[in-house]
Amino acid sequence: MRAITTIIALAATICSFAAPTERETINMNFGWMFHAGDIAAVPTTSTLPQEGNGWRNVDLPHDYQIEQPWVAPGDDEQGDNSDQASNFKSRLSARGFKEMGIGWYVKTIRPQEAWKNRRVIIDFQGIMYVGDVYLNGERVGGTDYGYLGFDIDLSKKLRFGEDNVIAVKANTQEPLNSRWYTGGGLFRDVKLIVTDRELFLPRHPLYITTPEVSENKATVAIQAEIACYLRTEHLKVRAIVKDKEGLVVADHTTDIPWNRKMKVYEYRLDDIHLDHPHLWSCESPYLYQLTVELCNENGNVADRVETRFGVRTIEFSPDFGFKLNGKKVIWKGIANHHSLGALGSAAYPRAIEKRLKLLKEYGFNHVRTSHNPYSEDFLNLCDEYGILVVDELYDKWLTQFTGGRKEWTEQWQNDVPEFIKRDRNHPSVVLWSLGNELQTYANLPYNDWGVTPYRMQKELLHRYDTTRLVTVAMHPRGRDLQTDSLPAPLAKETDIAAYNYRYMYFPGDGRRFPWMIFYQSEANLTMMGPNFYEMDLSKVIGLAYWGMIDYLGESKGWPAKGWSDGVFDISLEPKPMAYFLRSMFKEEEPVVHIGIVDNVADDTEWNGIKFGGERLSDHWNRVPGKKLTIYAYSNADEVELFVNGKSQGRRSNTTDPKNRNKMRWDNVTYADGYVEALAYKGGKMVAKHRVETAGKAKRLVLTPDDIDWQADGTDLMHVRIHAVDSKGRRAYNCQDQLEFSVQGDARIVAVTNGDMVSDELNATNTRSLYNGSAMVILRAGRTGGKVTLTATPKSGDMKAAKINLGIGNARKF
């Protein structure tokens, strides 16, 4: 059995302090000038751009690609990205039918006099897809893989007493450099960090583990990376732990003898002991707060960082799969790309939170970050909501898929440390993944189908974390070349056997190789049900369903702009199959939901796996007399279906994986009125779902998120708009176009409606209703007060509708 016992901390959140001897953090997200397309020369103070002539003001996070028009396939292009089309035959279908290109960002800063003789760092959490940073016309740094962050020391290059110009060039590279929509630009946070120049805590300085965890005590081991250029023989590091209520539960200072030759050193502080610790779990994601203060030999604080952490143990074994705090947990997961629907790739914390809350509501407890590191805010929120994360670094170990600008063989040595040091202290992260579906590529370095590159990366990874196992997700067609009956060599090398879709290999491979621990790293919608229930749930880790939230890119064919095989549409509305999944993932909750077959889509082969099947909806506005096939998704014992009060028969649930929780009625004659499903357990009705025929749309109903919206300049408010009839029933047939306007300290950043084939843009103020629904996303300003959103139909009889939204104080994640 492989057991891992650890105490985990969130990626260090740096505190700001007014005192010049301590750390300052300055938010750099606001007030950038942006230009779409390349420019003749890098901007400087003498060529500083002004608004106009292609330049405009933007705030971060920002994705310039989502603002671009759709680009239809040319006459000589295949309109999709499927296997039949031969991958990438369509130039832009993988990338969301958005053109590739360059974007420039420019911002001026005037350094404070107090910063002289101090260390001034600019920190980028990412630049999509590759990027270059300039200060006063000189290139000072950049990134060749924009999913990872980096920082640049500006201390010796800043000009005091005058404006300094920071310019950033972002490039989405060529279409072939990614297999999905990446977005483009400064899509994550940027900040300035000012510290003491001679004594400070460098980037990602903390590594927190625990060698012992029990109900009575947890031993906290803290390793701190320290930079000291002083002539000193002693330093002090103070560690303070507070519980969730803010009460100090531990406070200890470690005296460190300092060798003047060391300069930068990782030092293990004295252990801290927590009595009766609260354990972090999916149901109760308890977080402590740790403050680490670095002091000189006189005890004066030179630097300080704060972080939250959670105490938990994780174990993997072929006998039970996965245990969290000693209890068996099945991973009920999703594998999606990082983009956020109508917002593109701009990493808004509130948009991430909205998705995580939706997933939790439907029974998910796991996310695989396919196929790249997500934002730090994403992991912070997974820590808060108790989501188990498989943290993935790459797609393929090839230059083409890792930025396209620098050879991967020269890049991974820098990427692995940044990736692990950034994320290793999150309790939500339970498994590292180094790549995806790559073992079939003959052109991988070292010509052994990925085994040697994996070993090299894993060895480096263990330099920075030994508390988690390591995997790579296997291509479904990538078995052993000598005999298809055996796993690929790489699958036998990884700590966890992560198979995309091929769960049916688990029993046979497990018998031949009894040490293998199995995880279905991708599962498809077409086989939903069997691909969960046919696994031995007592022994496997679990699964991650692919693309359960529709997303831009990887289109199956124009005019679809992206993937639409999810159980939630791109505007986050649940489809009927979402309730089928909910009935599987939330066995303790009685579930019943009606799904009516609209059509049967042709199967599309994707990486050797068929996607397609029945397309369903859950409205009752049909053609009179038409024969319908109706499903009721339920985890109850029985379901009875009624049409206008007349029973269509009662169906019993089954333990057969192919039909479990999925009861079907054929040749049901449609008539206006209603359809209703009643679910019974032990003879008692436990749930029901009723759908009524809606009349003509009479008015609009605006429903905002149930949140405390904050005036921090970045917070979002999602407002759902439904057209309803005279009785308040959603009018699915209404497709009217709406125009949105805002009064107050907020602005529209995106509109959407769930229609993947729509040619309407997202970064605008108009959107048609789709199935009687649309959504507008507002971004808060920094003043607060009353905000009024108005939705006005551009035609038809409905009147404009308004909603008032108050904005409160700034919110920090």
Side-chain angles (χ1 to χ4, degrees):
M1 179 179 72
R2 300 176 182 180
I4 303 173
T5 304
T6 186
I7 185 171
I8 303 298
L10 304 187
T13 302
I14 308 302
C15 297
S16 299
F17 300 96
T21 57
E22 294 183 359
R23 179 176 295 238
E24 297 178 69
T25 299
I26 296 94
N27 187 336
M28 292 280 284
N29 282 354
F30 304 105
W32 291 80
M33 295 293 292
F34 171 74
H35 184 278
D38 209 353
I39 56 179
V42 179
T44 63
T45 51
S46 61
T47 60
L48 196 63
Q50 302 296 320
E51 191 164 7
N53 296 319
W55 290 92
R56 59 188 173 90
N57 285 299
V58 299
D59 295 328
L60 310 183
H62 178 248
D63 173 10
Y64 63 78
Q65 202 173 23
I66 196 68
E67 302 169 347
Q68 297 171 185
W70 307 111
V71 180
D75 294 337
D76 59 344
E77 290 184 271
Q78 184 86 24
D80 65 67
N81 191 41
S82 66
D83 286 358
Q84 293 97 322
S86 179
N87 279 345
F88 310 115
K89 192 171 182 180
S90 173
R91 191 173 64 89
L92 295 175
S93 66
R95 304 289 290 269
F97 294 106
K98 297 285 188 178
E99 192 56 81
M100 303 300 101
I102 291 168
W104 280 90
Y105 297 82
V106 175
K107 183 178 177 66
T108 60
I109 61 169
R110 183 176 288 259
Q112 301 174 22
E113 288 297 313
W115 295 355
K116 285 184 176 180
N117 299 318
R118 286 172 63 74
R119 175 175 169 265
V120 182
I121 299 294
I122 187 167
D123 181 289
F124 293 87
Q125 287 196 11
I127 302 175
M128 190 49 58
Y129 188 16
V130 299
D132 302 283
V133 181
Y134 301 82
L135 179 66
N136 299 323
E138 176 188 357
R139 188 183 186 280
V140 291
T143 179
D144 296 306
Y145 186 56
Y147 292 107
L148 291 173
F150 64 98
D151 60 22
I152 305 167
D153 191 339
L154 305 178
S155 308
K156 297 180 179 179
K157 296 182 179 294
L158 287 172
R159 301 170 184 171
F160 286 85
E162 60 180 278
D163 286 342
N164 288 245
V165 179
I166 298 170
V168 179
K169 178 183 179 180
N171 191 337
T172 56
Q173 294 293 84
E174 295 303 314
L176 292 179
N177 289 129
S178 179
R179 300 188 300 115
W180 56 85
Y181 176 86
T182 62
L186 292 177
F187 72 128
R188 295 179 184 165
D189 292 341
V190 179
K191 54 192 173 186
L192 280 180
I193 300 171
V194 184
T195 70
D196 187 275
R197 179 175 288 185
E198 296 182 313
L199 183 60
F200 58 89
L201 297 163
R203 184 174 182 80
H204 311 312
L206 302 180
Y207 179 35
I208 305 173
T209 61
T210 178
E212 297 179 3
V213 173
S214 69
E215 293 182 0
N216 297 322
K217 182 170 290 188
T219 301
V220 184
I222 305 170
Q223 184 172 292
E225 185 176 3
I226 298 169
C228 179
Y229 298 88
L230 297 171
R231 293 181 175 272
T232 186
E233 295 182 354
H234 295 280
L235 297 173
K236 297 179 183 294
V237 179
R238 183 186 180 193
I240 306 165
V241 178
K242 295 181 180 179
D243 65 15
K244 192 175 182 179
E245 286 69 42
L247 300 176
V248 175
V249 294
D251 187 343
H252 184 79
T253 299
T254 303
D255 291 318
I256 300 176
W258 192 260
N259 185 329
R260 296 181 183 179
K261 296 180 181 180
M262 290 193 296
K263 307 305 181 187
V264 180
Y265 186 71
E266 295 178 3
Y267 198 91
R268 169 84 177 260
L269 307 184
D270 294 341
D271 288 347
I272 288 177
H273 301 285
L274 298 178
D275 292 328
H276 305 290
H278 297 275
L279 300 187
W280 184 94
S281 68
C282 297
E283 298 77 23
S284 179
Y286 192 95
L287 297 171
Y288 292 90
Q289 179 174 290
L290 171 69
T291 301
V292 172
E293 296 178 343
L294 175 61
C295 310
N296 60 25
E297 60 183 352
N298 297 320
N300 297 321
V301 176
D303 203 358
R304 181 182 309 181
V305 296
E306 288 188 355
T307 181
R308 297 173 304 171
F309 68 87
V311 182
R312 51 89 169 134
T313 65
I314 57 176
E315 300 170 80
F316 294 87
S317 168
D319 296 327
F320 54 73
F322 174 78
K323 288 184 178 180
L324 178 64
N325 302 324
K327 298 178 181 179
K328 164 73 176 177
V329 175
I330 283 286
W331 295 2
K332 303 171 182 178
I334 180 175
N336 256 61
H337 294 306
H338 71 290
S339 58
L340 299 171
L343 296 164
S345 65
Y348 288 94
R350 182 66 82 180
I352 298 168
E353 181 185 46
K354 184 175 179 67
R355 282 156 177 77
L356 292 179
K357 289 171 70 174
L358 178 67
L359 293 173
K360 287 281 284 191
E361 180 186 350
Y362 280 77
F364 290 85
N365 63 10
H366 160 51
V367 174
R368 175 184 168 214
T369 67
S370 308
H371 306 289
N372 48 261
Y374 285 14
S375 68
E376 293 181 53
D377 282 321
F378 167 80
L379 292 178
N380 290 337
L381 287 161
C382 286
D383 293 328
E384 291 183 13
Y385 282 95
I387 301 291
L388 303 170
V389 175
V390 172
D391 206 356
E392 194 153 273
L393 177 57
Y394 294 124
D395 185 18
K396 314 289 185 278
W397 300 332
L398 295 169
T399 302
Q400 175 184 348
F401 299 112
T402 55
R405 187 164 76 168
K406 185 177 182 180
E407 290 294 325
W408 179 81
T409 53
E410 300 174 4
Q411 183 170 310
W412 66 267
Q413 300 91 334
N414 295 318
D415 290 348
V416 169
E418 170 65 19
F419 171 56
I420 302 302
K421 292 177 71 175
R422 190 198 77 161
D423 296 351
R424 63 187 175 182
N425 293 327
H426 286 273
S428 58
V429 176
V430 292
L431 180 66
W432 301 118
S433 175
L434 293 174
N436 171 69
E437 293 184 347
L438 50 85
Q439 83 278 14
T440 60
Y441 283 72
N443 57 337
L444 289 177
Y446 307 106
N447 300 313
D448 61 357
W449 308 100
V451 172
T452 296
Y454 171 79
R455 289 174 177 172
M456 295 169 66
Q457 291 176 87
K458 183 180 177 182
E459 186 68 24
L460 180 59
L461 185 157
H462 280 165
R463 165 67 179 81
Y464 301 99
D465 180 49
T466 58
T467 68
R468 299 172 181 85
L469 301 183
V470 185
T471 194
V472 173
M474 296 295 123
H475 193 291
R477 292 184 295 192
R479 301 287 281 175
D480 190 293
L481 291 180
Q482 302 300 319
T483 170
D484 194 55
S485 65
L486 296 177
L490 183 58
K492 292 183 286 186
E493 186 74 24
T494 57
D495 296 334
I496 299 297
Y499 291 6
N500 287 354
Y501 308 104
R502 299 301 193 191
Y503 68 93
M504 62 287 295
Y505 292 150
F506 291 173
D509 288 356
R511 286 191 297 270
R512 293 182 182 93
F513 308 100
W515 67 83
M516 297 183 84
I517 308 168
F518 295 104
Y519 161 52
Q520 191 179 172
S521 38
E522 289 178 21
N524 63 332
L525 180 75
T526 307
M527 289 294 291
M528 182 176 284
N531 53 21
F532 182 69
Y533 289 120
E534 287 181 354
M535 296 190 298
D536 185 344
L537 297 179
S538 68
K539 291 185 176 181
V540 301
I541 293 172
L543 52 60
Y545 277 108
W546 178 258
M548 289 297 96
I549 300 176
D550 291 352
Y551 57 84
L552 293 175
E554 296 192 291
S555 169
K556 292 184 182 180
W558 178 267
K561 309 307 186 296
W563 182 266
S564 58
D565 270 16
V567 299
F568 304 103
D569 70 28
I570 199 167
S571 76
L572 303 183
E573 284 210 302
K575 305 174 189 179
M577 287 289 281
Y579 295 90
F580 178 35
L581 188 147
R582 184 170 182 156
S583 74
M584 294 161 47
F585 282 0
K586 302 187 79 172
E587 294 180 341
E588 73 287 351
E589 175 191 287
V591 174
V592 66
H593 195 90
I594 292 168
I596 303 163
V597 177
D598 293 324
N599 58 71
V600 180
D602 294 334
D603 284 341
T604 299
E605 190 168 308
W606 203 276
N607 286 345
I609 301 299
K610 290 184 177 181
F611 290 84
E614 296 168 324
R615 295 292 184 264
L616 303 97
S617 59
D618 52 6
H619 66 83
W620 198 243
N621 283 72
R622 312 276 169 170
V623 177
K626 184 175 181 179
K627 300 295 184 180
L628 303 175
T629 294
I630 300 178
Y631 286 96
Y633 299 118
S634 180
N635 50 18
D637 298 336
E638 295 178 303
V639 175
E640 188 169 8
L641 187 73
F642 294 87
V643 173
N644 296 329
K646 182 179 180 180
S647 176
Q648 306 298 304
R650 185 177 288 210
R651 301 285 187 269
S652 297
N653 208 341
T654 177
T655 57
D656 176 8
K658 292 180 174 58
N659 296 299
R660 186 170 175 177
N661 291 7
K662 190 165 62 172
M663 284 142 275
R664 174 173 172 151
W665 290 260
D666 290 315
N667 297 314
V668 176
T669 303
Y670 174 79
D672 288 351
Y674 72 89
V675 59
E676 186 173 35
L678 304 182
Y680 298 87
K681 190 167 186 177
K684 180 181 178 181
M685 190 179 74
V686 292
K688 64 181 178 179
H689 181 218
R690 178 180 171 120
V691 184
E692 298 181 1
T693 303
K696 183 179 179 181
K698 294 293 185 180
R699 59 189 175 91
L700 298 173
V701 175
L702 280 61
T703 306
D705 286 342
D706 184 16
I707 58 172
D708 294 324
W709 196 24
Q710 303 300 318
D712 61 3
T714 303
D715 205 358
L716 300 179
M717 176 64 74
H718 299 73
V719 181
R720 177 71 60 184
I721 299 94
H722 283 151
V724 301
D725 67 5
S726 59
K727 295 184 178 181
R729 297 171 298 203
R730 178 172 165 181
Y732 281 83
N733 292 333
C734 183
Q735 315 293 329
D736 291 4
Q737 188 177 56
L738 306 179
E739 183 173 8
F740 303 102
S741 60
V742 179
Q743 292 180 314
D745 186 37
R747 65 182 186 274
I748 297 169
V749 290
V751 291
T752 184
N753 64 7
D755 182 8
M756 193 60 81
V757 303
S758 173
D759 290 331
E760 296 176 296
L761 296 177
N762 298 112
T764 182
N765 69 335
T766 61
R767 192 71 174 190
S768 297
L769 293 164
Y770 175 66
N771 292 332
S773 176
M775 187 167 69
V776 59
I777 306 174
L778 307 181
R779 178 171 179 165
R782 290 184 284 174
T783 303
K786 180 181 177 180
V787 170
T788 301
L789 170 67
T790 302
T792 304
K794 299 187 75 172
S795 62
D797 299 328
M798 290 190 296
K799 296 180 180 179
K802 296 182 179 182
I803 189 170
N804 294 320
L805 306 162
I807 306 179
N809 297 322
R811 180 187 184 197
K812 296 180 180 179
F813 282 92

